[in-house]
Amino acid sequence: MASSMAGSVPHGYGEVFVGRIRESDKLAACAVRVRDGEAWLAVLEGEAGIGKSALARRLAASLEDFTVLWATGDPSETDLPGGVINQLIRRVDRNLAAPFPLLAREGTVGASPNAIGGQLLLLLGVLQESRGPVAIVVDDVHWADSLSMQVLGFVLRRLWADRVLTVLLTRSEAESTVGTLDRLVRSLERAVRVEIGGLGEDDVAQMARRLLDVRLAPGLVERLHGYTKGHPLYLRTVLAEVPVETLRDEAAERWPAPRTLRVSIKTLLDQLPSDSVALLDAMAVLAARLPLATVAQVAGIPDPAKALGPALNVGLAQWWPVESQSPVALVHALQRDAVYDAIDPERRRALHLAAADVVGAGAAWAHRVAGAVSADPELAVELEQSGMAEAAIGRNALAATRFQWAAELSDQRADRERRLLTACAQSLLTMQPVTAAKLRPQVEDCAPGALRSCVLGVMEMLSGRFPAAEARLSEAWQEALADPESGWVAVLAGTFLAAIMIRAGRGAETADVAARTLAIGDLDPATTDLTRTMLATGRMWDQGPRAGLRHLEYLPTKATEVTNDQLDSLAARGVCNLFLAKIPAARADLAAVALRDRQGAGSKLSHLSLAQLAVAEYVSGDWNASASAADRAQAIAAAQDHVFGDAAAGFAVVCVLAGRGQWDAALAQVDTLDRMNQAFGSPAVETMFWALAGATLAQAQADHAAMLRCLEPLLDRATDGVDERMRLRYKPFWLWQQSLLVEALTGIGRLTAAAAALEDLTSEHDGTGYMRLVVARLSGQLAEAQDRPRDALANYERAVVETSDADGDAAPFFRAMLEHSYGRLLVATGSGSRREAARWFRSAHDRFSALRAAPFLERCDADLAAIGLTAPGRTSSRVLALTERELSVAYLIMDGRTNQEAAAEFYVSQKTVEYHLSNIYAKLGISSRRQLGEALRPRQS
């Protein structure tokens, strides 16, 4: 079976491949494991020209049963969003790719990396189903655009049971990918690094024999290896330069090897016909794989076929004669650099101007800039206008490049500095600070002003220096507000300033900045929505979630009627409802944001809203959906490398892990949140989620003293009579925090403080939703501790009677805790029959069992055993054998989703869903999805 080369895979005509046995064996072993159903990542690292691409081509040729998708990073396209992803998709069968519009070039604009990644995962599933294993190869990944890198990072973290081999090729010294690839490799269980070094002496001798049909003297082999360090490209260039007769002569050991690869290539060029050199010069200027006729037009030569022959013979050019229009290109970037450097300035300028006439509009800009030999104010204006157009559609990296070029061609200092600073601002909006950081010395040399302060402030923020960032951004914001011409600078500074303030829990200041930024007017819809979200969030932190909701009343009541430009506000409304314990409303809003984000709407708060959706699912009793949403939120945060981390998702993960008694995993997450909190200097957001996670874990372990210790960072203390009255510092999750505080204080016997805290809780809660069950349980427990058993019984009885089965089904965990407390007190006081107590124990038991809430179930079993009753049938041991991911898949399929619908919701491939289903069927002893409902239903006593 022939390998399906679905991408544009360089064939390496005339390429000589020798050695690399160890490296080839490592890659072959990965391919074997991929065929067996494991996704693997291989990172090939080595200096430029060392043979990484040749090894990858060799691997691709051996994968006869794989579909191979190939892309190559291009230094001229590092600012083109989605460029590498578009290359991977370009030659996939159109019918297969058609259902996934976000993978088309125009589809990537404005879409989030996880939305694009989700569709790429689905496409990979289709390819596996129709054609078998898939190999993704990205050469020169250090030149890949940031959006493509984020998409690939997200996809690789979601390939769980796929037959997909990913091979990334990068230069060892490439700064742009070192940290990114290191984090990616560490985050994957199945990843291998393959270091590519120089060839050995035997390989050098073999390459010489293959290229020249000459057996070199051992001394010459040793000398060549010593000079070239086994560098294949350098070695091949040397062998092409030295006459064969000289190599045959034993006296050749005295031949002086050239000093560098560039000197060697210059020597080769001096030996070639003038038309061949002209053709190579044009290839170097164009720096792309283009039709031979196009390259000849730029070179200005009459017979390109005749000129191509000598360039091929010396190994500088490569040619694809079997493809349409016979494209050509230089073999390697190092050769391109050497040829380009050898072109005299006037000739180089002429070639660039000629190239601008034959390439696409986007590429033409670079050639026009390269063709300018001095300041060009008119071209600078055109570039600035082009940058503004790119920025308007969200292609900030591309806009940054255009503004930077405009700055370089400006003849006035004010224009140059304005354009340079705007370039930095656009670059920083990608949240990838590397490019802008290199320009920092130039930024600091600019004249003081609002834009300069804004750019420096964002640089400080992205570097984690938040106090310095706030000072710079405050200065920029105040100055820009006073200048009607600097409105966009005020918006930019205000947005980042508000983000820093809200992270510190300074709600009133956040709301003030957002309100004054909105007053500037003339904001685009997306920026308007984000600023409104900041305003509502600031009010929520300052005055509570009801105040936040008042600033969101402009939204349609139904989440389905909200436009894509209002998704950030919709997420904020969902979060406010979550904090008010309005779970159905919260789920509706947050689920709508998650769905739109999967469809490509591009919410800026996607991972944060998904994390809060996970909390809402936990409260509503769908713990499998909660675990899945939290997992996806963490994957999105990791892929996009968010500067503020993913504390909310970590908290959501702990809720389910703790509830199910997975102590080690839960503690590991709490420790991660602790490290994150310390790394950021203990800001309000990270502190709150870390403390809540720890307290929730302690609650599941019935350790009330530990609960209170965990809540300490959230408390302000004020003396109230003889006992402390404890008040919480933060408004978000206030009801949740307060309920944990009441439980902890009651549990350790600090009853006066517990009563005061319960009074505060009751006064803030409106008596509806799941919190009604929580307040009833806490009131009963406090009455028990105060030796008021009759009041406690009356409280429990009233709550279980007044709340319907529907209320219990909407929040089964909290209903079960209430029922368990009621049953236990009935037994302790002898107030009811043994049968009545057993009724509530068993009801609680069934709910805990359905949730797999192991520690709570064990305590319920112990209480049943204490009165001589046998626990009702638990969830089937077969169901208990299912993993968290298998449970999530099982329940989604049981609800009627197709494999592809389930895959889209989970951000995985269909192959992963199929894999989990096969394991589910085997563990449950069933053979079809029709049997899932019965198999998953808890056994009744």
Side-chain angles (χ1 to χ4, degrees):
M1 176 182 176
S3 174
S4 174
M5 297 293 186
S8 178
V9 182
H11 297 289
Y13 288 106
E15 182 171 78
V16 174
F17 186 88
V18 299
R20 308 299 189 201
I21 295 174
R22 180 184 61 83
E23 297 90 341
S24 297
D25 287 347
K26 279 188 177 182
L27 295 174
C30 290
V32 169
R33 300 188 74 169
V34 168
R35 292 186 180 96
D36 290 339
E38 294 182 356
W40 271 82
L41 166 66
V43 178
L44 307 189
E45 297 175 299
E47 63 179 292
I50 203 66
K52 303 183 295 294
S53 301
L55 179 59
R57 285 191 289 268
R58 184 84 163 186
L59 171 68
S62 72
L63 301 177
E64 296 182 349
D65 52 336
F66 280 65
T67 296
V68 180
L69 306 179
W70 188 293
T72 301
D74 187 330
S76 68
E77 294 187 352
T78 55
D79 53 9
L80 181 63
V84 164
I85 297 301
N86 294 145
Q87 284 187 57
L88 291 174
I89 305 307
R90 193 171 296 156
R91 295 193 181 183
V92 173
D93 183 282
R94 288 185 179 180
N95 292 328
L96 293 180
F100 312 111
L102 297 185
L103 301 179
R105 181 177 294 275
E106 60 276 8
T108 59
V109 177
S112 64
N114 50 289
I116 301 168
Q119 294 205 352
L120 180 54
L121 284 162
L122 294 177
L123 177 59
L124 291 174
V126 170
L127 290 172
Q128 290 174 78
E129 288 176 352
S130 61
R131 301 182 181 182
V134 178
I136 298 172
V137 184
V138 182
D139 198 356
D140 288 333
V141 74
H142 47 275
W143 283 326
D145 60 282
S146 61
L147 176 61
S148 292
M149 285 300 295
Q150 290 175 343
V151 171
L152 287 171
F154 181 78
V155 167
L156 290 172
R157 290 177 173 93
R158 308 299 291 176
L159 290 173
W160 293 339
D162 296 87
R163 292 189 294 162
V164 176
L165 172 62
T166 305
V167 183
L168 305 179
L169 287 65
T170 185
R171 294 182 182 179
S172 303
E173 70 278 10
E175 295 180 7
S176 58
T177 56
V178 169
T180 301
L181 289 181
D182 282 346
R183 287 191 296 273
L184 181 59
V185 170
R186 287 198 303 270
S187 70
L188 300 177
E189 295 180 3
R190 297 187 292 271
V192 62
R193 303 182 92 114
V194 182
E195 297 285 345
I196 312 296
L199 298 171
E201 289 188 13
D202 291 344
D203 299 327
V204 169
Q206 186 180 358
M207 176 173 279
R209 286 198 302 273
R210 296 272 298 278
L211 286 172
L212 303 174
D213 195 23
V214 169
R215 184 177 295 276
L216 298 183
L220 181 55
V221 171
E222 181 180 355
R223 187 166 174 233
L224 276 174
H225 182 266
Y227 274 116
T228 65
K229 308 301 182 187
H231 191 289
L233 189 61
Y234 189 7
L235 177 63
R236 181 164 181 159
T237 304
V238 168
L239 293 174
E241 177 186 345
V242 180
V244 176
E245 293 74 15
T246 302
L247 291 173
R248 286 198 181 101
D249 190 345
E250 291 291 336
E253 292 188 24
R254 295 190 297 272
W255 168 76
R259 295 183 301 278
T260 66
L261 176 63
R262 293 197 176 201
V263 172
S264 277
I265 291 174
K266 180 64 170 65
T267 302
L268 284 178
L269 292 173
D270 291 342
Q271 298 170 2
L272 291 175
S274 60
D275 279 3
S276 298
V277 175
L279 190 67
L280 289 168
D281 289 347
M283 290 183 199
V285 165
L286 288 162
R289 188 171 169 273
L290 292 169
L292 178 59
T294 300
V295 179
Q297 181 181 344
V298 172
I301 57 174
D303 190 348
K306 181 179 178 181
L308 180 62
L312 293 172
N313 291 337
V314 296
L316 291 176
Q318 53 186 338
W319 177 37
W320 291 266
V322 298
E323 294 188 23
S324 174
Q325 298 183 306
S326 298
V328 294
L330 287 166
V331 172
H332 197 276
L334 287 179
Q335 295 170 326
R336 184 263 174 190
D337 293 344
V339 173
Y340 188 83
D341 287 348
I343 306 172
D344 70 74
E346 188 55 37
R347 168 72 173 157
R348 187 186 299 176
R349 177 176 181 273
L351 287 170
H352 275 297
L353 294 178
D357 292 334
V358 301
V359 298
W365 287 113
H367 290 295
R368 292 181 65 190
V369 171
V373 294
S374 61
D376 189 334
E378 293 183 2
L379 179 55
V381 170
E382 290 183 58
L383 285 162
E384 185 172 24
Q385 292 171 345
S386 173
M388 292 170 64
E390 297 293 351
I393 59 174
R395 301 208 293 193
N396 303 105
L398 201 54
T401 298
R402 303 278 165 82
F403 279 113
Q404 187 174 346
W405 285 341
E408 293 168 357
L409 294 175
S410 301
D411 61 349
Q412 300 294 321
R413 177 181 176 179
D415 291 336
R416 181 175 64 256
E417 291 185 353
R418 183 188 72 252
R419 291 160 178 165
L420 172 68
L421 292 170
T422 305
C424 288
Q426 291 296 324
S427 179
L428 291 168
L429 284 172
T430 68
M431 305 304 284
Q432 302 293 319
V434 175
T435 301
K438 294 177 181 178
L439 297 174
R440 179 157 188 155
Q442 296 180 51
V443 171
E444 291 177 336
D445 285 341
C446 291
L451 183 53
R452 176 181 179 273
S453 297
C454 179
V455 167
L456 290 172
V458 179
M459 286 181 176
E460 299 285 12
M461 189 192 83
L462 295 180
S463 299
R465 296 185 289 270
F466 295 103
E470 182 175 347
R472 295 274 196 184
L473 290 169
S474 296
E475 178 185 353
W477 184 65
Q478 295 286 356
E479 186 174 343
L481 283 176
D483 179 9
E485 299 298 318
S486 299
W488 75 273
V489 180
V491 171
L492 182 63
T495 300
F496 283 105
L497 183 60
I500 291 174
M501 289 174 169
I502 202 64
R503 181 173 164 274
R506 291 153 50 194
E509 293 172 80
T510 301
D512 178 62
V513 169
R516 293 177 66 184
T517 301
L518 277 173
I520 295 170
D522 198 29
L523 278 63
D524 64 86
T527 303
T528 297
D529 186 55
L530 180 61
T531 309
R532 281 176 159 179
T533 300
M534 289 292 187
L535 174 58
T537 305
R539 292 291 181 230
M540 178 189 69
W541 274 85
D542 181 39
Q543 301 171 14
R546 290 187 182 86
L549 285 176
R550 286 195 291 273
H551 287 276
L552 298 168
E553 291 175 348
Y554 59 86
L555 289 172
T557 302
K558 293 183 178 179
T560 53
E561 296 176 359
V562 170
T563 66
N564 286 345
D565 287 331
Q566 297 175 319
L567 291 183
D568 293 335
S569 291
L570 182 62
R573 188 175 74 179
V575 170
C576 286
N577 279 316
L578 173 62
F579 294 165
L580 287 170
K582 310 292 186 184
I583 302 304
R587 290 177 79 190
D589 286 350
L590 294 169
V593 175
L595 175 61
R596 300 279 191 90
D597 191 56
R598 287 202 306 275
Q599 294 170 342
S603 165
K604 296 179 180 64
L605 306 177
S606 58
H607 77 296
L608 294 172
S609 58
L610 194 55
Q612 302 291 21
L613 175 61
V615 177
E617 299 287 18
Y618 166 80
V619 172
S620 68
D622 196 342
W623 286 12
N624 301 312
S626 174
S628 176
D631 175 67
R632 283 174 278 152
Q634 288 189 318
I636 293 170
Q640 299 183 31
D641 198 19
H642 285 286
V643 68
F644 295 142
D646 56 346
F651 165 59
V653 170
V654 169
C655 288
V656 175
L657 291 176
R660 287 179 167 164
Q662 296 172 305
W663 307 131
D664 291 343
L667 183 59
Q669 285 284 342
V670 173
D671 288 343
T672 298
L673 289 170
D674 186 14
R675 289 192 297 272
M676 186 186 306
N677 186 44
Q678 293 183 46
F680 284 130
S682 300
V685 171
E686 279 77 11
T687 297
M688 182 184 69
F689 285 119
W690 163 60
L692 271 176
T696 301
L697 174 57
Q699 179 192 41
Q701 295 172 324
D703 188 342
H704 298 106
M707 287 176 68
L708 187 58
R709 285 197 303 273
C710 290
L711 293 171
E712 286 283 350
L714 307 183
L715 298 176
D716 275 337
R717 296 174 181 272
T719 301
D720 181 21
V722 296
D723 202 354
E724 276 184 327
R725 189 178 191 94
M726 299 183 180
R727 298 190 185 280
L728 293 164
R729 298 165 60 192
Y730 305 128
K731 295 294 193 296
F733 277 119
W734 187 92
L735 293 175
W736 191 315
Q737 296 176 61
Q738 191 74 6
S739 68
L740 291 173
L741 179 61
V742 174
E743 184 171 345
L745 291 169
T746 302
I748 64 173
R750 295 178 58 177
L751 303 185
T752 303
L758 180 60
E759 181 183 350
D760 290 342
L761 176 62
T762 305
S763 66
E764 286 294 322
H765 175 238
D766 65 2
T768 64
Y770 86 94
M771 192 56 65
R772 177 183 183 185
L773 301 168
V774 175
V775 171
R777 176 176 60 85
L778 295 175
S779 298
Q781 289 178 342
L782 179 59
E784 287 186 62
Q786 292 171 329
D787 198 23
R788 296 186 292 112
R790 291 184 180 278
D791 291 342
L793 281 170
N795 187 77
Y796 289 142
E797 183 176 5
R798 184 168 55 252
V800 296
V801 169
E802 291 180 357
T803 55
S804 64
D805 288 339
D807 292 328
D809 292 340
F813 177 59
F814 301 96
R815 171 76 182 203
M817 293 175 75
L818 173 65
E819 291 172 342
H820 185 195
S821 294
Y822 185 30
R824 191 174 58 236
L825 187 58
L826 285 172
V827 171
T829 60
S831 301
S833 67
R834 185 166 170 269
R835 182 176 181 180
E836 177 71 3
R839 170 193 173 190
W840 296 112
F841 277 138
R842 285 175 171 154
S843 178
H845 186 284
D846 287 345
R847 297 184 197 278
F848 286 141
S849 181
L851 293 168
R852 301 206 305 176
F856 299 90
L857 195 58
E858 290 169 4
R859 292 194 281 273
C860 194
D861 284 352
D863 286 333
L864 276 167
I867 60 172
L869 293 178
T870 303
R874 288 197 184 194
T875 299
S876 165
S877 60
R878 291 181 175 181
V879 174
L880 292 174
L882 298 181
T883 66
E884 299 288 345
R885 287 173 177 169
E886 288 166 354
L887 272 174
S888 297
V889 170
Y891 280 103
L892 211 56
I893 295 299
M894 189 181 74
D895 286 343
R897 306 289 208 288
T898 66
N899 286 4
Q900 180 153 326
E901 288 170 342
E905 189 159 334
F906 288 138
Y907 286 124
V908 296
S909 72
Q910 304 90 312
K911 194 71 177 176
T912 291
V913 173
E914 291 171 8
Y915 170 80
H916 286 318
L917 277 177
S918 67
N919 287 340
I920 291 165
Y921 293 166
K923 290 180 181 180
L924 297 182
I926 61 176
S927 58
S928 74
R929 62 182 63 208
R930 290 195 303 271
Q931 299 170 288
L932 268 177
E934 180 63 30
L936 293 173
R937 189 173 298 117
R939 296 200 306 263
Q940 301 297 316
S941 54

Short mmCIF file of all heavy atoms in Angstrom, two decimals, residues 10 17 19 119 134 152 170 232 317 323 333 426 435 471 498 555 707 809 825 939:
data_model
loop_
_atom_site.label_atom_id
_atom_site.label_comp_id
_atom_site.label_asym_id
_atom_site.label_seq_id
_atom_site.Cartn_x
_atom_site.Cartn_y
_atom_site.Cartn_z
N PRO A 10 8.20 17.43 0.73
CA PRO A 10 9.36 17.52 -0.14
C PRO A 10 9.93 16.13 -0.40
O PRO A 10 10.08 15.32 0.51
CB PRO A 10 10.34 18.38 0.67
CG PRO A 10 9.50 19.09 1.67
CD PRO A 10 8.38 18.17 1.99
N PHE A 17 21.08 9.75 1.56
CA PHE A 17 20.83 9.55 2.98
C PHE A 17 21.75 8.44 3.48
O PHE A 17 21.73 7.32 2.96
CB PHE A 17 19.38 9.17 3.22
CG PHE A 17 19.01 9.08 4.69
CD1 PHE A 17 18.57 10.20 5.36
CD2 PHE A 17 19.13 7.88 5.38
CE1 PHE A 17 18.24 10.13 6.71
CE2 PHE A 17 18.81 7.80 6.71
CZ PHE A 17 18.36 8.93 7.38
N GLY A 19 23.65 6.69 7.26
CA GLY A 19 23.72 6.66 8.72
C GLY A 19 22.37 6.84 9.38
O GLY A 19 21.34 6.40 8.90
N GLN A 119 -11.71 20.92 15.69
CA GLN A 119 -12.04 20.46 14.34
C GLN A 119 -10.90 19.66 13.73
O GLN A 119 -11.14 18.70 12.98
CB GLN A 119 -12.44 21.64 13.47
CG GLN A 119 -13.73 22.30 13.92
CD GLN A 119 -14.46 23.03 12.82
OE1 GLN A 119 -13.97 23.21 11.71
NE2 GLN A 119 -15.68 23.45 13.12
N VAL A 134 -2.18 8.20 10.93
CA VAL A 134 -1.86 9.52 10.38
C VAL A 134 -0.53 9.97 10.96
O VAL A 134 -0.25 9.76 12.14
CB VAL A 134 -2.95 10.55 10.73
CG1 VAL A 134 -2.59 11.94 10.20
CG2 VAL A 134 -4.31 10.11 10.18
N LEU A 152 -1.62 23.09 17.68
CA LEU A 152 -0.92 21.81 17.76
C LEU A 152 -0.74 21.38 19.21
O LEU A 152 -0.92 20.19 19.55
CB LEU A 152 0.45 21.90 17.07
CG LEU A 152 0.43 21.95 15.55
CD1 LEU A 152 1.83 22.25 15.00
CD2 LEU A 152 -0.08 20.63 14.97
N THR A 170 13.01 21.02 14.82
CA THR A 170 13.40 22.35 15.28
C THR A 170 14.90 22.46 15.44
O THR A 170 15.59 21.47 15.68
CB THR A 170 12.71 22.69 16.62
OG1 THR A 170 13.01 24.04 16.98
CG2 THR A 170 13.18 21.77 17.73
N PRO A 232 26.19 17.28 7.33
CA PRO A 232 25.91 16.78 5.98
C PRO A 232 25.90 17.85 4.90
O PRO A 232 26.44 17.64 3.81
CB PRO A 232 24.53 16.13 6.12
CG PRO A 232 24.42 15.80 7.56
CD PRO A 232 25.13 16.90 8.28
N ALA A 317 20.00 23.43 -5.68
CA ALA A 317 18.59 23.57 -6.04
C ALA A 317 17.89 22.22 -5.94
O ALA A 317 18.52 21.16 -6.06
CB ALA A 317 18.45 24.14 -7.44
N GLU A 323 5.31 17.54 -10.59
CA GLU A 323 4.21 18.36 -10.12
C GLU A 323 3.85 19.43 -11.15
O GLU A 323 4.66 19.80 -11.99
CB GLU A 323 4.56 19.03 -8.79
CG GLU A 323 4.73 18.05 -7.65
CD GLU A 323 4.88 18.75 -6.31
OE1 GLU A 323 4.43 19.91 -6.18
OE2 GLU A 323 5.45 18.12 -5.39
N ALA A 333 17.72 26.34 3.93
CA ALA A 333 17.74 27.75 4.32
C ALA A 333 19.16 28.29 4.47
O ALA A 333 19.41 29.46 4.18
CB ALA A 333 16.97 27.92 5.63
N GLN A 426 0.52 45.83 18.87
CA GLN A 426 -0.16 44.76 18.13
C GLN A 426 0.46 43.40 18.43
O GLN A 426 -0.24 42.40 18.59
CB GLN A 426 -0.12 45.04 16.63
CG GLN A 426 -0.96 46.21 16.18
CD GLN A 426 -2.44 45.98 16.42
OE1 GLN A 426 -2.94 44.86 16.29
NE2 GLN A 426 -3.16 47.04 16.79
N THR A 435 8.52 38.56 20.55
CA THR A 435 8.86 39.48 19.46
C THR A 435 8.99 40.91 19.96
O THR A 435 9.97 41.61 19.67
CB THR A 435 7.80 39.41 18.35
OG1 THR A 435 7.74 38.06 17.86
CG2 THR A 435 8.16 40.34 17.20
N ALA A 471 1.81 50.46 37.31
CA ALA A 471 2.26 51.85 37.32
C ALA A 471 2.35 52.40 35.90
O ALA A 471 1.88 53.52 35.62
CB ALA A 471 3.63 51.94 38.01
N ALA A 498 -7.39 46.96 33.91
CA ALA A 498 -8.53 46.35 34.59
C ALA A 498 -8.25 44.87 34.89
O ALA A 498 -8.64 44.36 35.95
CB ALA A 498 -9.79 46.48 33.73
N LEU A 555 -28.41 42.21 28.07
CA LEU A 555 -28.36 40.94 27.35
C LEU A 555 -29.75 40.35 27.17
O LEU A 555 -30.61 40.49 28.05
CB LEU A 555 -27.50 39.93 28.11
CG LEU A 555 -25.99 40.17 28.15
CD1 LEU A 555 -25.33 39.19 29.11
CD2 LEU A 555 -25.38 40.03 26.75
N MET A 707 -10.51 22.27 57.35
CA MET A 707 -11.36 23.18 56.58
C MET A 707 -11.12 24.62 57.00
O MET A 707 -10.95 25.51 56.16
CB MET A 707 -12.85 22.83 56.79
CG MET A 707 -13.32 21.56 56.10
SD MET A 707 -15.05 21.18 56.51
CE MET A 707 -15.90 22.53 55.67
N ASP A 809 -33.07 15.97 42.74
CA ASP A 809 -32.42 15.54 41.50
C ASP A 809 -31.56 16.66 40.91
O ASP A 809 -30.58 16.40 40.24
CB ASP A 809 -33.47 15.12 40.47
CG ASP A 809 -34.20 13.83 40.90
OD1 ASP A 809 -33.63 13.10 41.74
OD2 ASP A 809 -35.32 13.60 40.41
N LEU A 825 -29.70 11.60 62.85
CA LEU A 825 -30.29 12.18 64.07
C LEU A 825 -31.54 11.40 64.52
O LEU A 825 -31.79 11.27 65.72
CB LEU A 825 -30.63 13.65 63.84
CG LEU A 825 -31.11 14.41 65.09
CD1 LEU A 825 -30.05 14.37 66.20
CD2 LEU A 825 -31.42 15.87 64.74
N ARG A 939 -28.07 -0.34 41.10
CA ARG A 939 -28.93 -1.42 41.55
C ARG A 939 -29.77 -0.96 42.74
O ARG A 939 -29.26 -0.33 43.66
CB ARG A 939 -28.11 -2.65 41.95
CG ARG A 939 -27.35 -3.27 40.81
CD ARG A 939 -26.97 -4.70 41.16
NE ARG A 939 -26.27 -4.78 42.43
CZ ARG A 939 -24.94 -4.84 42.54
NH1 ARG A 939 -24.20 -4.83 41.46
NH2 ARG A 939 -24.36 -4.92 43.73
#
